[in-house]
Amino acid sequence: MAPSVLGLGVASGLGAYSGVASAVVGGTLAVLLGGVPTQITAPTGVLVVVLGPVVRAYGPLGTLNVGLLAGLLLVAASLIGAGRGMRYVPVTLIQGFFVGGALLITLRQINLILGSPGRRTGPVVLATVKAVTAFATHPHWYAVAVASTTLTVRMLESRLRLPGFLTAAAVATATALTQRLHLPLHHIGYGIRGLPRPSSAFLQTAWIVPLLPSAALLALVVAMESLRVVVSAQPSAAENQHSEDKELFGQGVANLTVPFFAGVAAAGSATRTAVNTRAGATSRLSALASCATLALLSFTAAPLIAQIPRVALSGVVIATMLRSINVSTLRSIARADRGQAVIVAVTAASPLVFNFAIAITAGSVLAITLGLRSVARTARVKRLSPYRESEFLDSLPVRRIPGTMPAEGRIARYSFHGPLLFATADRLLRPVSQTAAPAVILDLTGLTTIDVTGLAALRSTVHALAVRGTHVALRGVRAEHIAALRSAGLLDSTRATAQQTEDAAHTAAHAVAK
């Protein structure tokens, strides 16, 4: 874990030390207070990407302040029980978000390897194109060779599930060769031998309001990162129903604390936690041991760490980001539903051109739209056989041209199934409004929900039929729909729950007509 933590600390703009402080302090607090005993908490690539605009606008101090605010928001969310609500976030949105983050930080690390670490303004894709063009004109293969070596070792290590010491050894070897060959590569400049005393000098109260949107986004990302493990490990266990909120609380306290030690924001890592679990971890001791080992190695080897080439860590970060993409899940989503695959693609591509706020908004709007479209397709209305048997009927208070109730063979019956919403109202009620039968019974037994638009459309259809002289009656009104129908003037309160036979329905229709 150490090389990736160092690399993400450097990528955050706060330096390698910030990554170690975050993993040691934040990881310890999160595992002690969180809901998953084997959860490994540390900086993650997607957090670094979210913090990028804050670093550019406010500098390192802004990063610490936004992390503190995000911690406060996470603690508040845990206290109001918002953790369990994360179960309802679409999987496609989460997958797209993390794929986009992985691709974004990968492209930025590629730019650094190719010698374009400067300003990060504009779409990262265009910056990558410029970096590739500049490299083709003036190539420097030693940087690419160092990054490629550490990337390959890290990928093989993850693929073969080998111990993380191989990556550390590869980084150390690259560092030694760089010094021996005097290659002109930038070093990370670590140089701190231990945790400093906590300090609040970074606090800037004037930044609270302008940093709140970024803090809210950061808190959301931390929640999505950390709760993926909870939801996958405990999908339905009743005894663990509070694990999500407990995990949010632990992550909130961790992010509240690490800024005082100059640490970057942290989150639970599904990948690192999975490695920890595969290694046989069953308790909090494993995560605590991981934090202690990282602290010991990082602080005792500070002089060596200071000489690590940045591109060596860039290769490790790229491999970590690529390995975090769950290809099998993406394939299953693509095979199951093309529309859901589009959500993943749009959410993943948006950060490469715009930013994460737009990515979440675009993905959410698309997910809601496709969800409503899917629900709308399930709604249907069916014309049944002539009304012959006795039923439970609720008569509607509608006006009609005086006349007599038609014979039972001329009563049209329509059965509704699914929701009556703005997206389904026209399609479901059109055949009802076009009926030529002198009497209509609307069977609402299968009606799951009704919104204001559906209610207005139903009222309009009923009154249009009444004006034509058509008797209208409802059957099977659910208790939860009575108030809405009554408020729209569609339900006769005196007959809302009356048990009426076919003959009684005829009598009620005559009474309403008068």
Side-chain angles (χ1 to χ4, degrees), residues 183-218:
L183 298 178
L185 295 175
H186 293 285
H187 303 151
I188 66 173
Y190 185 62
I192 297 180
R193 296 180 179 272
L195 289 175
R197 292 182 179 180
S199 171
S200 60
F202 69 93
L203 290 175
Q204 299 288 333
T205 55
W207 291 352
I208 293 178
V209 174
L211 285 178
L212 272 179
S214 298
L217 178 59
L218 182 63

Short mmCIF file of all heavy atoms in Angstrom, two decimals, residues 183-218:
data_model
loop_
_atom_site.label_atom_id
_atom_site.label_comp_id
_atom_site.label_asym_id
_atom_site.label_seq_id
_atom_site.Cartn_x
_atom_site.Cartn_y
_atom_site.Cartn_z
N LEU A 183 19.95 10.33 -13.70
CA LEU A 183 18.87 10.70 -14.62
C LEU A 183 18.17 11.97 -14.12
O LEU A 183 17.92 12.11 -12.92
CB LEU A 183 17.85 9.56 -14.73
CG LEU A 183 18.37 8.23 -15.30
CD1 LEU A 183 17.26 7.19 -15.31
CD2 LEU A 183 18.93 8.44 -16.71
N PRO A 184 17.87 12.89 -15.03
CA PRO A 184 17.24 14.16 -14.63
C PRO A 184 15.74 14.00 -14.35
O PRO A 184 14.90 14.50 -15.10
CB PRO A 184 17.50 15.07 -15.83
CG PRO A 184 17.54 14.13 -17.00
CD PRO A 184 18.17 12.86 -16.48
N LEU A 185 15.42 13.31 -13.27
CA LEU A 185 14.02 13.09 -12.91
C LEU A 185 13.72 13.81 -11.60
O LEU A 185 14.55 13.86 -10.69
CB LEU A 185 13.74 11.59 -12.75
CG LEU A 185 13.87 10.74 -14.01
CD1 LEU A 185 13.67 9.26 -13.67
CD2 LEU A 185 12.87 11.18 -15.07
N HIS A 186 12.51 14.36 -11.50
CA HIS A 186 12.10 15.05 -10.29
C HIS A 186 11.85 14.04 -9.17
O HIS A 186 11.25 12.99 -9.38
CB HIS A 186 10.82 15.85 -10.54
CG HIS A 186 11.02 17.00 -11.48
ND1 HIS A 186 11.66 18.16 -11.11
CD2 HIS A 186 10.66 17.17 -12.78
CE1 HIS A 186 11.71 18.99 -12.14
NE2 HIS A 186 11.09 18.41 -13.17
N HIS A 187 12.30 14.38 -7.96
CA HIS A 187 12.08 13.53 -6.78
C HIS A 187 10.90 14.06 -5.99
O HIS A 187 10.50 15.23 -6.12
CB HIS A 187 13.34 13.50 -5.92
CG HIS A 187 14.54 13.02 -6.65
ND1 HIS A 187 15.82 13.40 -6.32
CD2 HIS A 187 14.66 12.17 -7.71
CE1 HIS A 187 16.68 12.82 -7.16
NE2 HIS A 187 15.99 12.07 -8.00
N ILE A 188 10.33 13.20 -5.16
CA ILE A 188 9.13 13.61 -4.42
C ILE A 188 9.47 14.46 -3.21
O ILE A 188 8.62 15.18 -2.69
CB ILE A 188 8.29 12.39 -3.99
CG1 ILE A 188 9.07 11.53 -2.97
CG2 ILE A 188 7.89 11.56 -5.20
CD1 ILE A 188 8.23 10.42 -2.39
N GLY A 189 10.73 14.38 -2.71
CA GLY A 189 11.14 15.23 -1.61
C GLY A 189 10.36 15.04 -0.33
O GLY A 189 9.77 15.98 0.20
N TYR A 190 10.34 13.87 0.18
CA TYR A 190 9.55 13.55 1.38
C TYR A 190 10.14 14.19 2.62
O TYR A 190 9.77 15.30 3.00
CB TYR A 190 9.50 12.02 1.51
CG TYR A 190 8.63 11.49 2.61
CD1 TYR A 190 7.27 11.73 2.62
CD2 TYR A 190 9.18 10.75 3.62
CE1 TYR A 190 6.48 11.23 3.62
CE2 TYR A 190 8.39 10.23 4.63
CZ TYR A 190 7.05 10.48 4.63
OH TYR A 190 6.27 9.98 5.62
N GLY A 191 11.11 13.55 3.28
CA GLY A 191 11.94 14.17 4.28
C GLY A 191 11.37 14.39 5.66
O GLY A 191 12.02 15.00 6.49
N ILE A 192 10.16 13.94 6.00
CA ILE A 192 9.62 14.11 7.35
C ILE A 192 9.69 12.76 8.06
O ILE A 192 9.21 11.75 7.55
CB ILE A 192 8.18 14.63 7.32
CG1 ILE A 192 8.16 16.02 6.69
CG2 ILE A 192 7.59 14.68 8.72
CD1 ILE A 192 6.78 16.63 6.60
N ARG A 193 10.27 12.73 9.25
CA ARG A 193 10.55 11.47 9.93
C ARG A 193 9.47 11.04 10.91
O ARG A 193 9.62 10.02 11.58
CB ARG A 193 11.89 11.58 10.66
CG ARG A 193 13.07 11.76 9.73
CD ARG A 193 14.37 11.86 10.50
NE ARG A 193 15.51 12.01 9.59
CZ ARG A 193 16.17 11.00 9.05
NH1 ARG A 193 15.81 9.77 9.32
NH2 ARG A 193 17.18 11.21 8.23
N GLY A 194 8.42 11.77 11.05
CA GLY A 194 7.38 11.38 12.00
C GLY A 194 6.21 12.33 11.94
O GLY A 194 6.27 13.38 11.29
N LEU A 195 5.13 11.94 12.58
CA LEU A 195 3.96 12.79 12.62
C LEU A 195 4.24 14.05 13.45
O LEU A 195 4.76 13.96 14.55
CB LEU A 195 2.77 12.04 13.23
CG LEU A 195 2.15 10.92 12.39
CD1 LEU A 195 1.08 10.22 13.21
CD2 LEU A 195 1.55 11.47 11.10
N PRO A 196 3.89 15.22 12.91
CA PRO A 196 4.09 16.43 13.69
C PRO A 196 2.97 16.59 14.73
O PRO A 196 2.00 15.83 14.73
CB PRO A 196 3.98 17.53 12.63
CG PRO A 196 3.03 16.97 11.63
CD PRO A 196 3.31 15.49 11.59
N ARG A 197 3.13 17.54 15.58
CA ARG A 197 2.05 17.83 16.51
C ARG A 197 0.86 18.39 15.76
O ARG A 197 1.02 19.14 14.79
CB ARG A 197 2.52 18.83 17.56
CG ARG A 197 3.57 18.29 18.51
CD ARG A 197 3.95 19.33 19.54
NE ARG A 197 4.93 18.80 20.48
CZ ARG A 197 5.44 19.50 21.48
NH1 ARG A 197 5.05 20.77 21.67
NH2 ARG A 197 6.33 18.96 22.29
N PRO A 198 -0.36 18.04 16.17
CA PRO A 198 -1.53 18.58 15.47
C PRO A 198 -1.56 20.10 15.54
O PRO A 198 -1.23 20.70 16.57
CB PRO A 198 -2.71 17.95 16.21
CG PRO A 198 -2.16 17.51 17.52
CD PRO A 198 -0.72 17.18 17.29
N SER A 199 -1.96 20.71 14.45
CA SER A 199 -2.00 22.17 14.36
C SER A 199 -3.27 22.61 13.66
O SER A 199 -3.73 21.96 12.70
CB SER A 199 -0.78 22.68 13.60
OG SER A 199 -0.91 24.07 13.33
N SER A 200 -3.84 23.71 14.12
CA SER A 200 -5.04 24.28 13.51
C SER A 200 -4.73 25.54 12.70
O SER A 200 -5.63 26.30 12.36
CB SER A 200 -6.07 24.61 14.59
OG SER A 200 -5.53 25.55 15.51
N ALA A 201 -3.45 25.75 12.39
CA ALA A 201 -3.05 26.95 11.68
C ALA A 201 -3.65 27.03 10.28
O ALA A 201 -3.70 28.10 9.68
CB ALA A 201 -1.53 27.02 11.61
N PHE A 202 -4.07 25.89 9.74
CA PHE A 202 -4.62 25.87 8.38
C PHE A 202 -6.04 26.42 8.29
O PHE A 202 -6.54 26.72 7.20
CB PHE A 202 -4.61 24.43 7.84
CG PHE A 202 -5.59 23.53 8.54
CD1 PHE A 202 -6.87 23.36 8.04
CD2 PHE A 202 -5.24 22.86 9.70
CE1 PHE A 202 -7.78 22.53 8.68
CE2 PHE A 202 -6.13 22.03 10.34
CZ PHE A 202 -7.40 21.88 9.85
N LEU A 203 -6.73 26.53 9.42
CA LEU A 203 -8.14 26.92 9.40
C LEU A 203 -8.34 28.31 8.83
O LEU A 203 -7.66 29.26 9.22
CB LEU A 203 -8.71 26.85 10.82
CG LEU A 203 -8.88 25.45 11.43
CD1 LEU A 203 -9.33 25.55 12.87
CD2 LEU A 203 -9.88 24.65 10.61
N GLN A 204 -9.29 28.41 7.90
CA GLN A 204 -9.64 29.68 7.27
C GLN A 204 -11.17 29.79 7.28
O GLN A 204 -11.85 29.26 6.40
CB GLN A 204 -9.10 29.74 5.84
CG GLN A 204 -7.60 29.63 5.71
CD GLN A 204 -6.88 30.87 6.20
OE1 GLN A 204 -7.43 31.97 6.18
NE2 GLN A 204 -5.64 30.70 6.65
N THR A 205 -11.70 30.48 8.27
CA THR A 205 -13.16 30.58 8.40
C THR A 205 -13.80 31.31 7.22
O THR A 205 -14.96 31.06 6.89
CB THR A 205 -13.54 31.28 9.70
OG1 THR A 205 -12.89 32.57 9.75
CG2 THR A 205 -13.09 30.46 10.91
N ALA A 206 -13.05 32.18 6.58
CA ALA A 206 -13.60 32.93 5.44
C ALA A 206 -13.86 32.03 4.24
O ALA A 206 -14.60 32.41 3.32
CB ALA A 206 -12.66 34.06 5.05
N TRP A 207 -13.27 30.84 4.23
CA TRP A 207 -13.43 29.93 3.09
C TRP A 207 -14.58 28.95 3.28
O TRP A 207 -14.86 28.15 2.38
CB TRP A 207 -12.14 29.13 2.88
CG TRP A 207 -11.00 29.95 2.39
CD1 TRP A 207 -11.03 31.26 1.99
CD2 TRP A 207 -9.63 29.53 2.26
NE1 TRP A 207 -9.79 31.69 1.62
CE2 TRP A 207 -8.90 30.64 1.77
CE3 TRP A 207 -8.96 28.34 2.51
CZ2 TRP A 207 -7.53 30.58 1.52
CZ3 TRP A 207 -7.60 28.27 2.26
CH2 TRP A 207 -6.89 29.37 1.78
N ILE A 208 -15.24 28.97 4.42
CA ILE A 208 -16.25 27.95 4.71
C ILE A 208 -17.35 27.93 3.66
O ILE A 208 -17.66 26.88 3.07
CB ILE A 208 -16.84 28.17 6.11
CG1 ILE A 208 -15.79 27.90 7.18
CG2 ILE A 208 -18.05 27.25 6.32
CD1 ILE A 208 -16.28 28.14 8.58
N VAL A 209 -17.94 29.08 3.40
CA VAL A 209 -19.06 29.14 2.45
C VAL A 209 -18.63 28.78 1.03
O VAL A 209 -19.25 27.93 0.38
CB VAL A 209 -19.74 30.52 2.50
CG1 VAL A 209 -20.81 30.63 1.41
CG2 VAL A 209 -20.36 30.76 3.87
N PRO A 210 -17.57 29.39 0.49
CA PRO A 210 -17.18 29.03 -0.89
C PRO A 210 -16.73 27.58 -1.05
O PRO A 210 -16.81 27.02 -2.15
CB PRO A 210 -16.05 30.01 -1.22
CG PRO A 210 -15.56 30.51 0.08
CD PRO A 210 -16.74 30.49 1.00
N LEU A 211 -16.25 26.96 0.04
CA LEU A 211 -15.77 25.58 -0.07
C LEU A 211 -16.84 24.54 0.21
O LEU A 211 -16.60 23.34 0.01
CB LEU A 211 -14.60 25.36 0.90
CG LEU A 211 -13.25 25.96 0.52
CD1 LEU A 211 -12.22 25.69 1.59
CD2 LEU A 211 -12.77 25.42 -0.82
N LEU A 212 -18.02 24.97 0.64
CA LEU A 212 -19.08 24.00 0.97
C LEU A 212 -19.47 23.10 -0.20
O LEU A 212 -19.65 21.89 -0.01
CB LEU A 212 -20.30 24.73 1.52
CG LEU A 212 -20.31 24.97 3.03
CD1 LEU A 212 -21.57 25.73 3.44
CD2 LEU A 212 -20.22 23.65 3.79
N PRO A 213 -19.66 23.64 -1.43
CA PRO A 213 -20.00 22.73 -2.54
C PRO A 213 -18.94 21.66 -2.76
O PRO A 213 -19.26 20.48 -2.97
CB PRO A 213 -20.11 23.67 -3.74
CG PRO A 213 -20.44 25.00 -3.15
CD PRO A 213 -19.69 25.05 -1.86
N SER A 214 -17.67 22.06 -2.72
CA SER A 214 -16.59 21.08 -2.90
C SER A 214 -16.57 20.08 -1.74
O SER A 214 -16.33 18.88 -1.95
CB SER A 214 -15.24 21.79 -2.98
OG SER A 214 -15.19 22.66 -4.10
N ALA A 215 -16.85 20.57 -0.53
CA ALA A 215 -16.88 19.67 0.63
C ALA A 215 -18.02 18.67 0.52
O ALA A 215 -17.86 17.49 0.87
CB ALA A 215 -17.01 20.49 1.91
N ALA A 216 -19.17 19.13 0.03
CA ALA A 216 -20.31 18.22 -0.15
C ALA A 216 -19.99 17.14 -1.18
O ALA A 216 -20.31 15.96 -0.99
CB ALA A 216 -21.55 19.01 -0.56
N LEU A 217 -19.35 17.55 -2.28
CA LEU A 217 -18.96 16.57 -3.29
C LEU A 217 -17.93 15.59 -2.74
O LEU A 217 -18.03 14.38 -2.96
CB LEU A 217 -18.39 17.29 -4.51
CG LEU A 217 -17.90 16.41 -5.66
CD1 LEU A 217 -19.03 15.53 -6.19
CD2 LEU A 217 -17.29 17.25 -6.77
N LEU A 218 -16.98 16.11 -1.99
CA LEU A 218 -15.97 15.24 -1.39
C LEU A 218 -16.59 14.26 -0.40
O LEU A 218 -16.25 13.07 -0.39
CB LEU A 218 -14.91 16.09 -0.69
CG LEU A 218 -13.73 15.34 -0.05
CD1 LEU A 218 -12.93 14.60 -1.11
CD2 LEU A 218 -12.84 16.29 0.72
#
